[in-house]
Amino acid sequence: MRSLLPLLVAALVAVTAFPDGADAVWTPIANPGTLLVKQVGNFAVIVYSNAGPRKHRPLQLVAVVGGDTQPVGNGVTDYRLVLAVNNTDTGSTAMYQCVVRGKPGSRATTWVLRSSRYIRRRHS
Ligand SMILES: *[C@@H]1O[C@H](CO)[C@@H](O)[C@H](O)[C@H]1NC(C)=O
Protein backbone atom coordinates (compact mmCIF):
# COMPACT_ATOMS: atom_id res chain seq x y z
CA MET A 1 0.00 0.00 0.00
CA ARG A 2 3.01 2.28 -0.42
CA SER A 3 1.39 3.96 -3.38
CA LEU A 4 -1.36 5.27 -1.08
CA LEU A 5 1.10 7.16 1.09
CA PRO A 6 1.26 10.34 -1.02
CA LEU A 7 -2.55 10.42 -1.02
CA LEU A 8 -2.65 10.01 2.73
CA VAL A 9 -0.08 12.78 3.17
CA ALA A 10 -2.10 15.00 0.84
CA ALA A 11 -5.22 14.27 2.89
CA LEU A 12 -3.44 15.13 6.12
CA VAL A 13 -2.16 18.38 4.63
CA ALA A 14 -5.70 19.19 3.50
CA VAL A 15 -7.02 18.50 6.99
CA THR A 16 -4.41 20.74 8.54
CA ALA A 17 -5.14 23.48 6.03
CA PHE A 18 -8.92 23.31 6.54
CA PRO A 19 -9.63 22.40 10.17
CA ASP A 20 -13.30 22.96 9.59
CA GLY A 21 -15.17 20.72 12.01
CA ALA A 22 -15.22 16.95 12.41
CA ASP A 23 -16.70 16.10 9.01
CA ALA A 24 -14.16 18.15 7.10
CA VAL A 25 -11.56 15.40 7.42
CA TRP A 26 -13.52 12.93 5.26
CA THR A 27 -12.07 12.64 1.77
CA PRO A 28 -14.19 11.15 -1.05
CA ILE A 29 -12.91 7.86 -2.47
CA ALA A 30 -12.12 8.62 -6.10
CA ASN A 31 -12.48 5.00 -7.25
CA PRO A 32 -14.72 2.77 -5.08
CA GLY A 33 -14.04 -0.13 -7.48
CA THR A 34 -10.50 -0.87 -6.31
CA LEU A 35 -9.72 -4.23 -4.76
CA LEU A 36 -8.89 -2.69 -1.39
CA VAL A 37 -12.20 -0.83 -1.15
CA LYS A 38 -14.13 -3.93 -2.26
CA GLN A 39 -12.33 -5.98 0.39
CA VAL A 40 -13.25 -3.44 3.05
CA GLY A 41 -16.89 -3.58 1.87
CA ASN A 42 -16.86 -7.37 1.89
CA PHE A 43 -15.46 -7.37 5.40
CA ALA A 44 -18.31 -5.11 6.56
CA VAL A 45 -20.97 -7.34 4.98
CA ILE A 46 -19.48 -10.54 6.41
CA VAL A 47 -19.20 -9.10 9.93
CA TYR A 48 -22.68 -7.56 9.74
CA SER A 49 -24.16 -10.81 8.44
CA ASN A 50 -22.91 -12.64 11.50
CA ALA A 51 -23.46 -9.90 14.09
CA GLY A 52 -27.23 -10.24 14.47
CA PRO A 53 -28.78 -11.51 17.69
CA ARG A 54 -30.71 -14.05 15.69
CA LYS A 55 -29.57 -16.16 12.78
CA HIS A 56 -27.03 -15.41 10.08
CA ARG A 57 -28.27 -12.83 7.59
CA PRO A 58 -28.02 -14.06 3.98
CA LEU A 59 -26.26 -10.96 2.64
CA GLN A 60 -23.71 -10.54 -0.11
CA LEU A 61 -21.89 -7.45 -1.34
CA VAL A 62 -22.96 -6.41 -4.83
CA ALA A 63 -20.85 -3.25 -5.11
CA VAL A 64 -19.33 -0.40 -3.17
CA VAL A 65 -21.37 2.53 -4.48
CA GLY A 66 -19.24 5.26 -2.92
CA GLY A 67 -17.52 6.40 0.20
CA ASP A 68 -15.04 8.54 2.04
CA THR A 69 -11.94 7.93 4.08
CA GLN A 70 -10.59 9.63 7.15
CA PRO A 71 -7.10 9.07 8.59
CA VAL A 72 -7.20 8.45 12.33
CA GLY A 73 -3.46 8.18 13.01
CA ASN A 74 -0.64 5.63 12.79
CA GLY A 75 -1.67 4.66 9.25
CA VAL A 76 -5.12 3.61 10.44
CA THR A 77 -8.03 4.77 8.26
CA ASP A 78 -11.79 4.96 8.69
CA TYR A 79 -13.70 3.88 5.59
CA ARG A 80 -17.26 5.19 5.43
CA LEU A 81 -18.83 3.23 2.58
CA VAL A 82 -22.20 3.04 0.90
CA LEU A 83 -22.79 -0.56 -0.08
CA ALA A 84 -25.30 -2.23 -2.40
CA VAL A 85 -26.07 -5.52 -0.66
CA ASN A 86 -27.99 -8.47 -2.02
CA ASN A 87 -30.24 -10.59 0.17
CA THR A 88 -29.50 -13.95 -1.41
CA ASP A 89 -32.70 -15.46 0.02
CA THR A 90 -35.06 -12.90 -1.50
CA GLY A 91 -32.85 -11.54 -4.31
CA SER A 92 -33.63 -7.96 -3.25
CA THR A 93 -30.88 -5.37 -3.10
CA ALA A 94 -30.61 -2.72 -0.37
CA MET A 95 -28.23 0.10 0.44
CA TYR A 96 -26.23 0.15 3.64
CA GLN A 97 -23.78 2.61 5.11
CA CYS A 98 -20.91 1.27 7.17
CA VAL A 99 -17.80 2.58 8.85
CA VAL A 100 -14.82 0.24 8.94
CA ARG A 101 -11.55 1.05 10.65
CA GLY A 102 -8.30 -0.61 9.64
CA LYS A 103 -4.76 -0.33 8.41
CA PRO A 104 -4.17 -1.41 4.79
CA GLY A 105 -1.32 -3.87 4.42
CA SER A 106 -0.98 -4.52 8.14
CA ARG A 107 -1.51 -7.93 9.70
CA ALA A 108 -0.84 -6.62 13.17
CA THR A 109 -3.85 -4.31 13.21
CA THR A 110 -7.32 -5.81 13.51
CA TRP A 111 -10.02 -4.49 11.19
CA VAL A 112 -13.17 -3.35 12.98
CA LEU A 113 -16.70 -2.71 11.77
CA ARG A 114 -17.57 0.41 13.78
CA SER A 115 -21.09 0.93 12.52
CA SER A 116 -23.51 -0.26 9.90
CA ARG A 117 -27.01 0.81 9.08
CA TYR A 118 -29.66 0.09 6.54
CA ILE A 119 -30.41 3.04 4.27
CA ARG A 120 -33.06 1.92 1.80
CA ARG A 121 -34.35 -0.74 -0.49
CA ARG A 122 -33.08 -0.60 -4.03
CA HIS A 123 -34.96 -1.93 -7.00
CA SER A 124 -32.71 -4.07 -9.13
C1 LIG B 1 -28.68 -12.00 -5.43
O1 LIG B 1 -28.56 -13.35 -4.99
C2 LIG B 1 -29.30 -14.26 -5.77
C3 LIG B 1 -29.17 -15.63 -5.11
O2 LIG B 1 -27.81 -15.99 -4.98
C4 LIG B 1 -28.76 -14.26 -7.20
O3 LIG B 1 -29.52 -15.13 -8.00
C5 LIG B 1 -28.86 -12.83 -7.76
O4 LIG B 1 -28.26 -12.80 -9.03
C6 LIG B 1 -28.14 -11.87 -6.83
N1 LIG B 1 -28.37 -10.50 -7.31
C7 LIG B 1 -27.37 -9.62 -7.40
C8 LIG B 1 -27.76 -8.25 -7.82
O5 LIG B 1 -26.21 -9.91 -7.14
Short mmCIF file of all heavy atoms in Angstrom, two decimals, residues 17-74:
data_model
loop_
_atom_site.label_atom_id
_atom_site.label_comp_id
_atom_site.label_asym_id
_atom_site.label_seq_id
_atom_site.Cartn_x
_atom_site.Cartn_y
_atom_site.Cartn_z
N ALA A 17 -4.88 22.20 6.66
CA ALA A 17 -5.14 23.48 6.03
C ALA A 17 -6.59 23.94 6.25
O ALA A 17 -6.86 25.12 6.31
CB ALA A 17 -4.86 23.39 4.53
N PHE A 18 -7.50 22.97 6.38
CA PHE A 18 -8.92 23.31 6.54
C PHE A 18 -9.51 22.63 7.77
O PHE A 18 -10.31 21.71 7.65
CB PHE A 18 -9.72 22.91 5.30
CG PHE A 18 -9.14 23.40 4.01
CD1 PHE A 18 -8.44 22.56 3.16
CD2 PHE A 18 -9.28 24.73 3.66
CE1 PHE A 18 -7.90 23.02 1.97
CE2 PHE A 18 -8.74 25.21 2.46
CZ PHE A 18 -8.04 24.35 1.62
N PRO A 19 -9.09 23.05 8.97
CA PRO A 19 -9.63 22.40 10.17
C PRO A 19 -11.04 22.90 10.45
O PRO A 19 -11.27 23.75 11.29
CB PRO A 19 -8.63 22.83 11.25
CG PRO A 19 -8.07 24.13 10.77
CD PRO A 19 -8.22 24.18 9.27
N ASP A 20 -11.98 22.35 9.70
CA ASP A 20 -13.30 22.96 9.59
C ASP A 20 -14.39 22.07 10.20
O ASP A 20 -15.40 21.81 9.58
CB ASP A 20 -13.59 23.21 8.11
CG ASP A 20 -14.55 24.37 7.92
OD1 ASP A 20 -14.54 25.27 8.75
OD2 ASP A 20 -15.30 24.33 6.93
N GLY A 21 -14.17 21.59 11.40
CA GLY A 21 -15.17 20.72 12.01
C GLY A 21 -14.87 19.27 11.73
O GLY A 21 -14.07 18.95 10.86
N ALA A 22 -15.55 18.37 12.44
CA ALA A 22 -15.22 16.95 12.41
C ALA A 22 -15.39 16.35 11.02
O ALA A 22 -14.58 15.53 10.60
CB ALA A 22 -16.09 16.20 13.42
N ASP A 23 -16.43 16.73 10.29
CA ASP A 23 -16.70 16.10 9.01
C ASP A 23 -15.75 16.54 7.92
O ASP A 23 -15.67 15.91 6.88
CB ASP A 23 -18.15 16.38 8.58
CG ASP A 23 -19.10 15.32 9.14
OD1 ASP A 23 -18.58 14.32 9.69
OD2 ASP A 23 -20.31 15.50 9.04
N ALA A 24 -15.03 17.62 8.15
CA ALA A 24 -14.16 18.15 7.10
C ALA A 24 -13.01 17.22 6.78
O ALA A 24 -12.39 17.34 5.74
CB ALA A 24 -13.62 19.52 7.52
N VAL A 25 -12.71 16.27 7.66
CA VAL A 25 -11.56 15.40 7.42
C VAL A 25 -11.89 14.23 6.49
O VAL A 25 -11.01 13.52 6.08
CB VAL A 25 -10.95 14.88 8.73
CG1 VAL A 25 -10.36 16.03 9.52
CG2 VAL A 25 -11.95 14.13 9.55
N TRP A 26 -13.17 14.02 6.18
CA TRP A 26 -13.52 12.93 5.26
C TRP A 26 -13.16 13.32 3.84
O TRP A 26 -13.48 14.41 3.39
CB TRP A 26 -15.02 12.63 5.34
CG TRP A 26 -15.44 11.97 6.60
CD1 TRP A 26 -16.06 12.56 7.67
CD2 TRP A 26 -15.28 10.59 6.96
NE1 TRP A 26 -16.28 11.63 8.66
CE2 TRP A 26 -15.81 10.42 8.25
CE3 TRP A 26 -14.72 9.49 6.31
CZ2 TRP A 26 -15.82 9.19 8.91
CZ3 TRP A 26 -14.73 8.26 6.96
CH2 TRP A 26 -15.28 8.12 8.24
N THR A 27 -12.48 12.42 3.15
CA THR A 27 -12.07 12.64 1.77
C THR A 27 -12.79 11.63 0.88
O THR A 27 -12.74 10.43 1.15
CB THR A 27 -10.54 12.43 1.63
OG1 THR A 27 -9.88 13.28 2.54
CG2 THR A 27 -10.08 12.72 0.22
N PRO A 28 -13.48 12.08 -0.18
CA PRO A 28 -14.19 11.15 -1.05
C PRO A 28 -13.23 10.14 -1.68
O PRO A 28 -12.11 10.48 -2.05
CB PRO A 28 -14.80 12.05 -2.12
CG PRO A 28 -14.84 13.41 -1.51
CD PRO A 28 -13.67 13.49 -0.57
N ILE A 29 -13.69 8.90 -1.79
CA ILE A 29 -12.91 7.86 -2.47
C ILE A 29 -13.11 8.03 -3.96
O ILE A 29 -14.24 7.93 -4.46
CB ILE A 29 -13.36 6.46 -2.02
CG1 ILE A 29 -13.07 6.27 -0.52
CG2 ILE A 29 -12.68 5.37 -2.85
CD1 ILE A 29 -13.64 5.00 0.07
N ALA A 30 -12.01 8.33 -4.67
CA ALA A 30 -12.12 8.62 -6.10
C ALA A 30 -12.61 7.39 -6.88
O ALA A 30 -13.44 7.51 -7.77
CB ALA A 30 -10.77 9.08 -6.63
N ASN A 31 -12.10 6.21 -6.53
CA ASN A 31 -12.48 5.00 -7.25
C ASN A 31 -12.92 3.91 -6.27
O ASN A 31 -12.08 3.19 -5.73
CB ASN A 31 -11.31 4.51 -8.11
CG ASN A 31 -11.66 3.26 -8.90
OD1 ASN A 31 -12.81 2.80 -8.87
ND2 ASN A 31 -10.69 2.71 -9.59
N PRO A 32 -14.23 3.77 -6.04
CA PRO A 32 -14.72 2.77 -5.08
C PRO A 32 -14.60 1.34 -5.62
O PRO A 32 -14.93 0.40 -4.92
CB PRO A 32 -16.19 3.14 -4.88
CG PRO A 32 -16.43 4.39 -5.65
CD PRO A 32 -15.32 4.54 -6.63
N GLY A 33 -14.13 1.19 -6.87
CA GLY A 33 -14.04 -0.13 -7.48
C GLY A 33 -12.71 -0.83 -7.25
O GLY A 33 -12.52 -1.95 -7.75
N THR A 34 -11.79 -0.21 -6.51
CA THR A 34 -10.50 -0.87 -6.31
C THR A 34 -10.65 -2.09 -5.41
O THR A 34 -11.59 -2.18 -4.62
CB THR A 34 -9.47 0.09 -5.68
OG1 THR A 34 -9.95 0.47 -4.39
CG2 THR A 34 -9.23 1.31 -6.54
N LEU A 35 -9.68 -2.98 -5.54
CA LEU A 35 -9.72 -4.23 -4.76
C LEU A 35 -9.75 -3.94 -3.27
O LEU A 35 -10.52 -4.56 -2.53
CB LEU A 35 -8.51 -5.10 -5.12
CG LEU A 35 -8.43 -6.45 -4.42
CD1 LEU A 35 -9.65 -7.31 -4.76
CD2 LEU A 35 -7.15 -7.18 -4.79
N LEU A 36 -8.93 -3.00 -2.82
CA LEU A 36 -8.89 -2.69 -1.39
C LEU A 36 -10.26 -2.25 -0.88
O LEU A 36 -10.75 -2.75 0.14
CB LEU A 36 -7.85 -1.59 -1.10
CG LEU A 36 -7.88 -1.02 0.32
CD1 LEU A 36 -7.52 -2.08 1.35
CD2 LEU A 36 -6.96 0.19 0.44
N VAL A 37 -10.91 -1.34 -1.60
CA VAL A 37 -12.20 -0.83 -1.15
C VAL A 37 -13.25 -1.95 -1.17
O VAL A 37 -14.08 -2.07 -0.26
CB VAL A 37 -12.64 0.38 -2.02
CG1 VAL A 37 -14.03 0.85 -1.64
CG2 VAL A 37 -11.64 1.51 -1.85
N LYS A 38 -13.20 -2.79 -2.21
CA LYS A 38 -14.13 -3.93 -2.26
C LYS A 38 -13.91 -4.89 -1.10
O LYS A 38 -14.87 -5.43 -0.52
CB LYS A 38 -13.97 -4.68 -3.59
CG LYS A 38 -14.76 -4.05 -4.73
CD LYS A 38 -14.86 -5.00 -5.91
CE LYS A 38 -13.95 -4.54 -7.02
NZ LYS A 38 -14.02 -5.38 -8.22
N GLN A 39 -12.64 -5.09 -0.74
CA GLN A 39 -12.33 -5.98 0.39
C GLN A 39 -12.86 -5.40 1.70
O GLN A 39 -13.37 -6.13 2.55
CB GLN A 39 -10.82 -6.22 0.48
CG GLN A 39 -10.32 -7.21 -0.57
CD GLN A 39 -8.81 -7.34 -0.60
OE1 GLN A 39 -8.09 -6.45 -0.17
NE2 GLN A 39 -8.33 -8.45 -1.13
N VAL A 40 -12.73 -4.08 1.84
CA VAL A 40 -13.25 -3.44 3.05
C VAL A 40 -14.78 -3.59 3.09
O VAL A 40 -15.36 -3.92 4.14
CB VAL A 40 -12.84 -1.94 3.09
CG1 VAL A 40 -13.51 -1.23 4.26
CG2 VAL A 40 -11.32 -1.81 3.21
N GLY A 41 -15.44 -3.40 1.94
CA GLY A 41 -16.89 -3.58 1.87
C GLY A 41 -17.31 -5.00 2.17
O GLY A 41 -18.27 -5.24 2.90
N ASN A 42 -16.57 -5.95 1.63
CA ASN A 42 -16.86 -7.37 1.89
C ASN A 42 -16.72 -7.70 3.36
O ASN A 42 -17.55 -8.43 3.93
CB ASN A 42 -15.90 -8.26 1.09
CG ASN A 42 -16.56 -8.90 -0.10
OD1 ASN A 42 -17.72 -9.32 -0.01
ND2 ASN A 42 -15.85 -8.96 -1.20
N PHE A 43 -15.68 -7.16 3.97
CA PHE A 43 -15.46 -7.37 5.40
C PHE A 43 -16.68 -6.88 6.19
O PHE A 43 -17.19 -7.58 7.06
CB PHE A 43 -14.19 -6.62 5.84
CG PHE A 43 -13.99 -6.56 7.32
CD1 PHE A 43 -13.43 -7.63 8.00
CD2 PHE A 43 -14.38 -5.44 8.05
CE1 PHE A 43 -13.25 -7.59 9.37
CE2 PHE A 43 -14.21 -5.38 9.42
CZ PHE A 43 -13.64 -6.46 10.09
N ALA A 44 -17.16 -5.68 5.84
CA ALA A 44 -18.31 -5.11 6.56
C ALA A 44 -19.54 -6.01 6.42
O ALA A 44 -20.25 -6.27 7.40
CB ALA A 44 -18.62 -3.71 6.03
N VAL A 45 -19.78 -6.50 5.21
CA VAL A 45 -20.97 -7.34 4.98
C VAL A 45 -20.85 -8.66 5.74
O VAL A 45 -21.83 -9.13 6.35
CB VAL A 45 -21.18 -7.58 3.47
CG1 VAL A 45 -22.29 -8.59 3.22
CG2 VAL A 45 -21.50 -6.27 2.77
N ILE A 46 -19.67 -9.26 5.73
CA ILE A 46 -19.48 -10.54 6.41
C ILE A 46 -19.67 -10.38 7.92
O ILE A 46 -20.37 -11.17 8.56
CB ILE A 46 -18.09 -11.14 6.08
CG1 ILE A 46 -18.07 -11.59 4.62
CG2 ILE A 46 -17.75 -12.29 7.01
CD1 ILE A 46 -16.68 -11.86 4.08
N VAL A 47 -19.07 -9.32 8.48
CA VAL A 47 -19.20 -9.10 9.93
C VAL A 47 -20.67 -8.81 10.27
O VAL A 47 -21.23 -9.38 11.20
CB VAL A 47 -18.28 -7.96 10.40
CG1 VAL A 47 -18.56 -7.61 11.86
CG2 VAL A 47 -16.82 -8.35 10.22
N TYR A 48 -21.29 -7.93 9.48
CA TYR A 48 -22.68 -7.56 9.74
C TYR A 48 -23.60 -8.77 9.62
O TYR A 48 -24.53 -8.94 10.42
CB TYR A 48 -23.10 -6.46 8.76
CG TYR A 48 -24.51 -5.97 8.95
CD1 TYR A 48 -24.84 -5.15 10.01
CD2 TYR A 48 -25.52 -6.34 8.05
CE1 TYR A 48 -26.14 -4.71 10.19
CE2 TYR A 48 -26.82 -5.90 8.22
CZ TYR A 48 -27.12 -5.09 9.29
OH TYR A 48 -28.41 -4.65 9.46
N SER A 49 -23.33 -9.62 8.66
CA SER A 49 -24.16 -10.81 8.44
C SER A 49 -24.16 -11.74 9.65
O SER A 49 -25.13 -12.45 9.89
CB SER A 49 -23.65 -11.61 7.24
OG SER A 49 -23.74 -10.86 6.07
N ASN A 50 -23.06 -11.72 10.37
CA ASN A 50 -22.91 -12.64 11.50
C ASN A 50 -23.07 -11.96 12.85
O ASN A 50 -22.89 -12.61 13.89
CB ASN A 50 -21.55 -13.33 11.42
CG ASN A 50 -21.48 -14.25 10.22
OD1 ASN A 50 -22.11 -15.30 10.20
ND2 ASN A 50 -20.76 -13.84 9.19
N ALA A 51 -23.42 -10.66 12.84
CA ALA A 51 -23.46 -9.90 14.09
C ALA A 51 -24.86 -9.85 14.69
O ALA A 51 -25.03 -9.33 15.79
CB ALA A 51 -22.95 -8.49 13.86
N GLY A 52 -25.86 -10.36 13.98
CA GLY A 52 -27.23 -10.24 14.47
C GLY A 52 -27.48 -11.10 15.69
O GLY A 52 -26.82 -12.11 15.88
N PRO A 53 -28.44 -10.70 16.51
CA PRO A 53 -28.78 -11.51 17.69
C PRO A 53 -29.44 -12.82 17.30
O PRO A 53 -29.37 -13.80 18.04
CB PRO A 53 -29.74 -10.60 18.47
CG PRO A 53 -30.30 -9.66 17.45
CD PRO A 53 -29.24 -9.48 16.41
N ARG A 54 -30.05 -12.82 16.14
CA ARG A 54 -30.71 -14.05 15.69
C ARG A 54 -29.80 -14.79 14.71
O ARG A 54 -28.61 -14.84 14.88
CB ARG A 54 -32.06 -13.71 15.08
CG ARG A 54 -33.05 -13.19 16.15
CD ARG A 54 -34.38 -12.82 15.54
NE ARG A 54 -34.27 -11.68 14.65
CZ ARG A 54 -35.11 -11.45 13.64
NH1 ARG A 54 -36.10 -12.27 13.41
NH2 ARG A 54 -34.98 -10.38 12.90
N LYS A 55 -30.39 -15.33 13.67
CA LYS A 55 -29.57 -16.16 12.78
C LYS A 55 -28.75 -15.32 11.80
O LYS A 55 -28.95 -14.13 11.66
CB LYS A 55 -30.47 -17.14 12.04
CG LYS A 55 -31.46 -16.47 11.11
CD LYS A 55 -32.37 -17.52 10.49
CE LYS A 55 -33.44 -16.85 9.66
NZ LYS A 55 -33.29 -16.98 8.25
N HIS A 56 -27.87 -15.99 11.14
CA HIS A 56 -27.03 -15.41 10.08
C HIS A 56 -27.90 -14.74 9.02
O HIS A 56 -28.87 -15.30 8.55
CB HIS A 56 -26.22 -16.54 9.46
CG HIS A 56 -25.47 -16.16 8.24
ND1 HIS A 56 -24.24 -15.55 8.29
CD2 HIS A 56 -25.77 -16.29 6.92
CE1 HIS A 56 -23.81 -15.33 7.06
NE2 HIS A 56 -24.72 -15.76 6.21
N ARG A 57 -27.53 -13.51 8.66
CA ARG A 57 -28.27 -12.83 7.59
C ARG A 57 -27.68 -13.23 6.24
O ARG A 57 -26.46 -13.17 6.06
CB ARG A 57 -28.16 -11.31 7.75
CG ARG A 57 -28.72 -10.75 9.05
CD ARG A 57 -28.50 -9.23 9.05
NE ARG A 57 -29.06 -8.56 10.21
CZ ARG A 57 -28.34 -8.19 11.27
NH1 ARG A 57 -27.06 -8.46 11.35
NH2 ARG A 57 -28.91 -7.55 12.27
N PRO A 58 -28.52 -13.58 5.28
CA PRO A 58 -28.02 -14.06 3.98
C PRO A 58 -27.66 -12.90 3.05
O PRO A 58 -28.33 -12.66 2.05
CB PRO A 58 -29.20 -14.88 3.44
CG PRO A 58 -30.40 -14.18 4.00
CD PRO A 58 -30.00 -13.65 5.35
N LEU A 59 -26.61 -12.16 3.39
CA LEU A 59 -26.26 -10.96 2.64
C LEU A 59 -24.95 -11.13 1.88
O LEU A 59 -24.05 -11.84 2.32
CB LEU A 59 -26.13 -9.77 3.60
CG LEU A 59 -27.37 -9.45 4.44
CD1 LEU A 59 -27.08 -8.31 5.40
CD2 LEU A 59 -28.57 -9.13 3.57
N GLN A 60 -24.89 -10.45 0.75
CA GLN A 60 -23.71 -10.54 -0.11
C GLN A 60 -23.47 -9.16 -0.74
O GLN A 60 -24.41 -8.54 -1.22
CB GLN A 60 -24.01 -11.58 -1.20
CG GLN A 60 -22.84 -11.94 -2.08
CD GLN A 60 -23.24 -13.01 -3.08
OE1 GLN A 60 -24.19 -12.83 -3.85
NE2 GLN A 60 -22.54 -14.12 -3.08
N LEU A 61 -22.21 -8.74 -0.74
CA LEU A 61 -21.89 -7.45 -1.34
C LEU A 61 -22.09 -7.51 -2.85
O LEU A 61 -21.59 -8.42 -3.51
CB LEU A 61 -20.43 -7.07 -1.03
CG LEU A 61 -19.94 -5.75 -1.62
CD1 LEU A 61 -20.64 -4.56 -0.96
CD2 LEU A 61 -18.43 -5.62 -1.48
N VAL A 62 -22.83 -6.54 -3.38
CA VAL A 62 -22.96 -6.41 -4.83
C VAL A 62 -21.90 -5.44 -5.34
O VAL A 62 -21.16 -5.74 -6.27
CB VAL A 62 -24.36 -5.92 -5.23
CG1 VAL A 62 -24.45 -5.71 -6.74
CG2 VAL A 62 -25.42 -6.90 -4.76
N ALA A 63 -21.83 -4.25 -4.70
CA ALA A 63 -20.85 -3.25 -5.11
C ALA A 63 -20.69 -2.20 -4.02
O ALA A 63 -21.61 -1.97 -3.24
CB ALA A 63 -21.31 -2.56 -6.39
N VAL A 64 -19.52 -1.60 -3.98
CA VAL A 64 -19.33 -0.40 -3.17
C VAL A 64 -19.75 0.77 -4.05
O VAL A 64 -19.16 1.02 -5.10
CB VAL A 64 -17.87 -0.24 -2.71
CG1 VAL A 64 -17.70 1.04 -1.90
CG2 VAL A 64 -17.43 -1.46 -1.90
N VAL A 65 -20.80 1.47 -3.65
CA VAL A 65 -21.37 2.53 -4.48
C VAL A 65 -20.57 3.83 -4.35
O VAL A 65 -20.43 4.59 -5.30
CB VAL A 65 -22.84 2.77 -4.08
CG1 VAL A 65 -23.45 3.90 -4.86
CG2 VAL A 65 -23.63 1.48 -4.28
N GLY A 66 -20.03 4.06 -3.15
CA GLY A 66 -19.24 5.26 -2.92
C GLY A 66 -18.74 5.28 -1.51
O GLY A 66 -19.04 4.36 -0.73
N GLY A 67 -18.00 6.32 -1.17
CA GLY A 67 -17.52 6.40 0.20
C GLY A 67 -16.48 7.47 0.40
O GLY A 67 -16.10 8.18 -0.54
N ASP A 68 -16.06 7.58 1.65
CA ASP A 68 -15.04 8.54 2.04
C ASP A 68 -14.07 7.84 2.98
O ASP A 68 -14.40 6.83 3.58
CB ASP A 68 -15.63 9.72 2.82
CG ASP A 68 -16.91 10.24 2.24
OD1 ASP A 68 -17.97 9.74 2.62
OD2 ASP A 68 -16.82 11.16 1.41
N THR A 69 -12.89 8.43 3.10
CA THR A 69 -11.94 7.93 4.08
C THR A 69 -11.51 9.06 4.99
O THR A 69 -11.58 10.24 4.64
CB THR A 69 -10.68 7.34 3.41
OG1 THR A 69 -10.05 8.35 2.63
CG2 THR A 69 -11.03 6.14 2.54
N GLN A 70 -11.06 8.66 6.16
CA GLN A 70 -10.59 9.63 7.15
C GLN A 70 -9.41 9.01 7.90
O GLN A 70 -9.57 7.96 8.52
CB GLN A 70 -11.73 9.94 8.12
CG GLN A 70 -11.34 10.82 9.28
CD GLN A 70 -12.56 11.23 10.09
OE1 GLN A 70 -12.91 12.39 10.12
NE2 GLN A 70 -13.22 10.27 10.71
N PRO A 71 -8.22 9.62 7.83
CA PRO A 71 -7.10 9.07 8.59
C PRO A 71 -7.30 9.32 10.09
O PRO A 71 -7.76 10.39 10.48
CB PRO A 71 -5.90 9.86 8.06
CG PRO A 71 -6.47 11.12 7.52
CD PRO A 71 -7.87 10.83 7.08
N VAL A 72 -7.02 8.29 10.88
CA VAL A 72 -7.20 8.45 12.33
C VAL A 72 -5.89 8.28 13.09
O VAL A 72 -5.89 8.18 14.31
CB VAL A 72 -8.28 7.48 12.88
CG1 VAL A 72 -9.64 7.86 12.36
CG2 VAL A 72 -7.96 6.04 12.55
N GLY A 73 -4.77 8.24 12.35
CA GLY A 73 -3.46 8.18 13.01
C GLY A 73 -2.78 6.84 12.88
O GLY A 73 -3.44 5.82 12.77
N ASN A 74 -1.46 6.84 12.87
CA ASN A 74 -0.64 5.63 12.79
C ASN A 74 -0.96 4.78 11.56
O ASN A 74 -0.87 3.55 11.62
CB ASN A 74 -0.79 4.77 14.04
CG ASN A 74 -0.19 5.44 15.27
OD1 ASN A 74 0.86 6.09 15.16
ND2 ASN A 74 -0.85 5.32 16.40
#
